[in-house]
Amino acid sequence: MSKRACITFDFDGTLYPIAPYDSEQRLIRKVASTKGTLFKQRAKRLILQDQKGTLIGDAFHKRYADLVRTANAGMIDEVARDISLFLSTEDIHALASLGNIADLAVLTCGTENLVESFLQQIGLKQHFFLIRGKRLVWDEAGRARMVVDINEPQAKAKALEQLRRDYPTILAVGDGPTDIPMLKAADLGLVINWNQSQRAYPFETHTSLADVCSRLASYLASA
Ligand SMILES: [Mg+2]
């Protein structure tokens, strides 16, 4: 932490496009590929419900934690590599140069391990000083349990507010309904709509990460 401005990003659907699965759904599928029919069916059911948006907060976290208990670091890295391929060199450069003018953070209801591996893959791990979401922690037997920090949309807004102590200016970027409280709490809230879908939110919307970054940079230059 050193700069006067901080930018908080959501992860899934914001730092990469959901096409067609988000990082947690991909991890569930990765684990399921090593299991039998019954497990595969449970995995498929949870993913379908999650895609319909019917599982909020703990209703999802608990079942997700249960399904990924045998996930390992290799699986996380594979998922992170797959989603990192959605970013262009221009996107990555834009994010990196944003790191020169603001401190960058990820506030997500998603999985911190996946965020970290993703940032590692695109060479920007050092550019982000804070990653808050929920974390897979392994015991000695190699089984993972979930430690939940940020569990719902309002918690992202609260996490942003906690940064006010250190930053006079805080900008935020998200992609969906779960980001609205965080975007409202920011001095400037932007939406990224990678797939150029019809849905609309009451926030300035851009269709690429490079565009979002250049808007953030120009806001900070004139602030
Ligand atoms: Mg999202």
Side-chain angles (χ1 to χ4, degrees), residues 3-8 102-105 129 163 167 169-172:
K3 303 184 182 67
R4 293 186 47 78
C6 176
I7 304 172
T8 67
D103 286 334
L104 309 181
F129 79 98
L163 294 166
Y167 297 98
T169 305
I170 303 180
L171 318 183

Side-chain angles (χ1 to χ4, degrees), residues 10 12-14 175 179:
D10 164 54
D12 296 292
T14 296
D175 77 302
D179 298 313

